[in-house]
Amino acid sequence: MYDLFMEIWRLFGKLFPGCIAMLIVVCFLLLGIFQPLEWMTYNTLFRLRGNIDWNQQIVVVTIDNKSLLEFKQFPWTRTRYIELLNILDTAQPNVVAFDIIFSESSPDDVALANAMKQHGKVVLAEAWDSQGEPWFPVPELEQAAITTGHIFGPKDGDGMIRKVQPLINGIPSLGIAAIQAYATFTEIPSLPNLEEALWINWPSQVQQMPHYSFVDVVQGKVSTDIFKNKIVLVGVTAPGIDVLVTPFNYDPPTGGVYLHATFISNVFGHNFLHLFPSGAWIILLLLAGPVWGLLIVRWHSGKKLGFCIGICVIWEIFSLFMLKINYWLPVAAPMTLLGMTTGIVIWQDDLNLKAENQTLYRLANYDSLTQIPNRRRFDEYFQQEWGRMTREKSSLSLILCDVDFFKRYNDTYGHQAGDSCLQKVAQAMSQAIKRPSDLVARYGGEEFVVILPNTTVEGAMIVAEEIRSQVKILAISHKASEVSQYVTVSLGIASIIPVSDIPAEFLIKTADEALYRAKKAGRDRFCMITAEDLGLNR
């Protein structure tokens, strides 16, 4: 049962990075954080994809700068549109769809209505204002039109329209209304599902589709044969009036009439964008992160990063390919999921490596019984501090400590009790030192050693007495001791200002000699030997 639990735990550890990344990405999706990134990649992919052909059954008559300069003030009188309809009437059959809302009454409404009836296939626009109030054409014009269509297109946060609702409250979009009017004299392709929003597939820069200036058309500079058997869209493209941003036209933008031109082109070309079901993306998010994390967990960091970058590039290329066949795939979320999973796996590897290094360091430098530095760490640190005190010309003190009659303790209470005794003594000694630079280490058997940098013999005596007191406070029973009924320690202190011509081992031997004197003097005490006692540092 334990083995099964450990296997499950190890598997969870491998799945953990992908699961965390998946949860973060899901939260980002719910908060809409990825939306601006997806819009950016959407625009970039369109430009990388390049141009596709506009449907040639559509022509746009533009109310552009040239027309505004010629005819001056805008909005124009109805007379201008009557002139246009008279020209287009000579190029029958065609459908004329105005991306202009004639909601204000005019003395020329009757004349314009007559021109619309004379043409017979005019589609007018209607819309809603920001409060949801409808803007309808004036009744005379609405009755003269073959049909009307809404021009509502919700803009995303970056100002671009990416989808159109073909039917709102039973009212078709201007593009659908124009196509239905077009069907009265020619065959049209099957219409998409009008109950669902349709995602626009922008073909190219709008300048590449057939378009003509309003003023050129009414002045007879454009052959009327161009408009025969066509859907003629009329709308404003002059800057600042009806702004439309597309992936190909964003600086400067173009006019809103090209939204309807694109919509109609998509209908005729059967090339609206398709999105994969949201359920498929939920499954992808649930699986991709954990599976990717499980796959790369054993790879080295360079390979992890290399494959992550490679997969992201492949996903971008695949998304571009799918766009060419009219499928829009999200890019930011999957790439973030892969990148975040890879990053967490690498971070987890780094933590594991640090933990392993820390474990190895402790195994190499700490005593397994007492959990204080061992002899190896003592030798290393002692040489380091000897050199430092030599440079700084400062005192270095050393205390050697021995548990009194420890062999008898082991013989009396057993080795397990002896081990416990050493652990408690080591902890008491560690509590007796206060500075980070001081070091308590196990020197061997029942012997301990304390390194005290920048410490004179007076300071070392205070530490030694503190150690002796802390051990007494433990009150570890020791019936076999000849000096006390509790465990006691003897300590030898040596202090010197190191110089280059004296070996570091000299201080250890001196402390050992001091310890020998403490034992000889009756134990449970400390003795000291200073540089002055040895005739040094004078």
Side-chain angles (χ1 to χ4, degrees):
M1 189 68 181
Y2 175 78
D3 292 341
L4 177 61
F5 174 77
M6 292 306 296
E7 281 298 320
I8 294 174
W9 180 254
R10 279 192 287 269
L11 179 61
F12 174 76
K14 294 176 182 178
L15 294 174
F16 175 77
C19 291
I20 291 298
M22 178 264 293
L23 290 174
I24 293 173
V25 168
V26 168
C27 290
F28 282 4
L29 285 171
L30 293 176
L31 294 172
I33 292 175
F34 285 121
Q35 201 61 67
L37 295 175
E38 293 294 358
W39 290 334
M40 290 173 60
T41 55
Y42 171 96
N43 298 341
T44 302
L45 287 174
F46 266 102
R47 293 192 287 271
L48 290 174
R49 181 207 66 185
N51 301 334
I52 59 177
D53 293 333
W54 291 85
N55 188 274
Q56 296 303 303
Q57 291 167 279
I58 312 162
V59 177
V60 176
V61 174
T62 61
I63 300 175
D64 54 5
N65 271 337
K66 180 179 179 181
S67 301
L68 294 182
L69 289 172
E70 178 69 22
F71 296 139
K72 308 303 180 186
Q73 185 177 357
F74 188 84
W76 295 331
T77 64
R78 304 289 198 250
T79 306
R80 299 298 176 200
Y81 305 109
I82 294 171
E83 292 175 7
L84 176 66
L85 286 175
N86 290 337
I87 295 290
L88 295 177
D89 192 41
T90 64
Q92 292 279 16
N94 58 60
V95 172
V96 182
F98 283 97
D99 182 29
I100 300 167
I101 303 174
F102 298 104
S103 57
E104 298 292 333
S105 297
S106 167
D108 299 319
D109 281 342
V110 173
L112 178 57
N114 290 334
M116 291 169 59
K117 291 176 182 177
Q118 174 65 32
H119 184 279
K121 296 179 181 62
V122 177
V123 181
L124 295 184
E126 58 182 77
W128 297 269
D129 62 19
S130 57
Q131 282 75 40
E133 294 295 324
W135 287 1
F136 296 124
V138 295
E140 294 90 346
L141 300 183
E142 186 173 9
Q143 292 170 9
I146 188 173
T147 187
T148 59
H150 75 78
I151 56 173
F152 176 73
K155 291 185 178 182
D156 291 328
D158 61 348
M160 190 176 298
I161 298 174
R162 291 183 171 85
K163 61 181 177 180
V164 171
Q165 192 69 46
L167 208 61
I168 299 178
N169 299 327
I171 301 172
S173 68
L174 185 65
I176 292 294
I179 292 171
Q180 290 172 336
Y182 192 65
T184 60
F185 62 85
T186 190
E187 187 177 352
I188 64 170
S190 59
L191 294 177
N193 184 356
L194 302 184
E195 300 296 329
E196 297 180 357
L198 298 173
W199 292 82
I200 299 298
N201 189 356
W202 301 99
S204 66
Q205 288 189 338
V206 297
Q207 291 83 354
Q208 295 185 13
M209 81 163 300
H211 65 285
Y212 303 94
S213 176
F214 190 103
V215 65
D216 289 341
V217 175
V218 298
Q219 290 180 353
K221 297 178 182 179
V222 179
S223 171
T224 56
D225 291 339
I226 290 172
F227 305 107
K228 190 167 292 187
N229 296 313
K230 301 291 176 67
I231 295 176
V232 183
L233 291 166
V234 184
V236 180
T237 61
I241 299 179
D242 183 17
V243 175
L244 176 70
V245 177
T246 81
F248 301 98
N249 297 84
Y250 52 92
D251 189 20
T254 185
V257 65
Y258 284 108
L259 171 65
H260 312 297
T262 304
F263 182 89
I264 296 170
S265 183
N266 287 170
V267 172
F268 285 155
H270 294 288
N271 59 353
F272 282 102
L273 288 183
H274 303 285
L275 277 66
F276 283 97
S278 57
W281 290 116
I282 293 174
I283 294 173
L284 176 65
L285 287 174
L286 290 175
L287 295 179
V291 170
W292 177 248
L294 192 63
L295 178 65
I296 67 173
V297 68
R298 296 185 181 275
W299 298 350
H300 60 77
S301 296
K303 187 176 180 181
K304 289 183 178 77
L305 285 173
F307 268 81
C308 177
I309 293 171
I311 294 294
C312 288
V313 171
I314 290 172
W315 184 256
E316 287 189 31
I317 295 172
F318 179 67
S319 299
L320 180 59
F321 168 77
M322 293 302 291
L323 186 61
K324 285 181 177 289
I325 59 173
N326 307 323
Y327 279 89
W328 177 25
L329 303 182
V331 174
M335 289 176 59
T336 301
L337 180 65
L338 287 178
M340 192 172 292
T341 301
T342 303
I344 295 174
V345 170
I346 293 174
W347 173 71
Q348 188 181 50
D349 289 346
D350 185 58
L351 289 181
N352 290 337
L353 180 60
K354 288 179 178 178
E356 290 173 4
N357 289 339
Q358 185 66 25
T359 300
L360 291 173
Y361 178 83
R362 290 196 66 84
L363 288 173
N365 294 280
Y366 280 75
D367 179 60
S368 59
L369 175 64
T370 60
Q371 297 302 308
I372 63 173
N374 57 17
R375 176 67 177 271
R376 180 181 181 276
R377 176 59 180 151
F378 162 75
D379 291 339
E380 180 185 78
Y381 190 67
F382 180 61
Q383 291 295 331
Q384 173 188 313
E385 293 305 300
W386 181 271
R388 187 165 73 91
M389 295 301 102
T390 301
R391 293 190 300 272
E392 294 179 6
K393 296 180 174 54
S394 184
S395 295
L396 177 64
S397 295
L398 198 68
I399 303 174
L400 274 176
C401 176
D402 189 79
V403 180
D404 294 328
F405 300 108
F406 185 72
K407 184 178 183 307
R408 294 184 186 181
Y409 186 92
N410 264 344
D411 294 340
T412 304
Y413 298 99
H415 288 284
Q416 286 187 337
D419 289 347
S420 177
C421 174
L422 292 177
Q423 289 171 342
K424 292 176 181 178
V425 170
Q427 187 173 3
M429 293 183 66
S430 298
Q431 290 174 350
I433 63 173
K434 308 301 181 185
R435 301 179 305 175
S437 60
D438 298 340
L439 179 78
V440 175
R442 188 178 181 188
Y443 197 66
E446 69 272 22
E447 283 190 314
F448 298 89
V449 64
V450 183
I451 302 174
L452 301 170
N454 299 111
T455 304
T456 62
V457 68
E458 291 79 12
M461 289 169 60
I462 294 172
V463 174
E465 181 58 31
E466 179 67 16
I467 291 172
R468 202 174 70 86
S469 298
Q470 288 290 341
V471 172
K472 278 185 174 292
I473 291 171
L474 294 174
I476 303 171
S477 182
H478 190 355
K479 296 178 182 179
S481 173
E482 295 181 6
V483 294
S484 174
Q485 61 179 328
Y486 301 109
V487 169
T488 58
V489 291
S490 298
L491 306 102
I493 303 171
S495 184
I496 193 174
I497 298 177
V499 291
S500 57
D501 56 349
I502 298 177
E505 291 74 15
F506 176 79
L507 187 61
I508 299 174
K509 290 179 180 179
T510 305
D512 191 50
E513 174 62 26
L515 175 60
Y516 172 76
R517 293 181 185 181
K519 289 181 178 181
K520 190 175 179 179
R523 301 177 189 265
D524 189 19
R525 69 194 64 225
F526 62 82
C527 286
M528 57 189 173
I529 300 177
T530 65
E532 286 73 14
D533 296 332
L534 300 171
L536 301 173
N537 293 344
R538 291 187 176 180

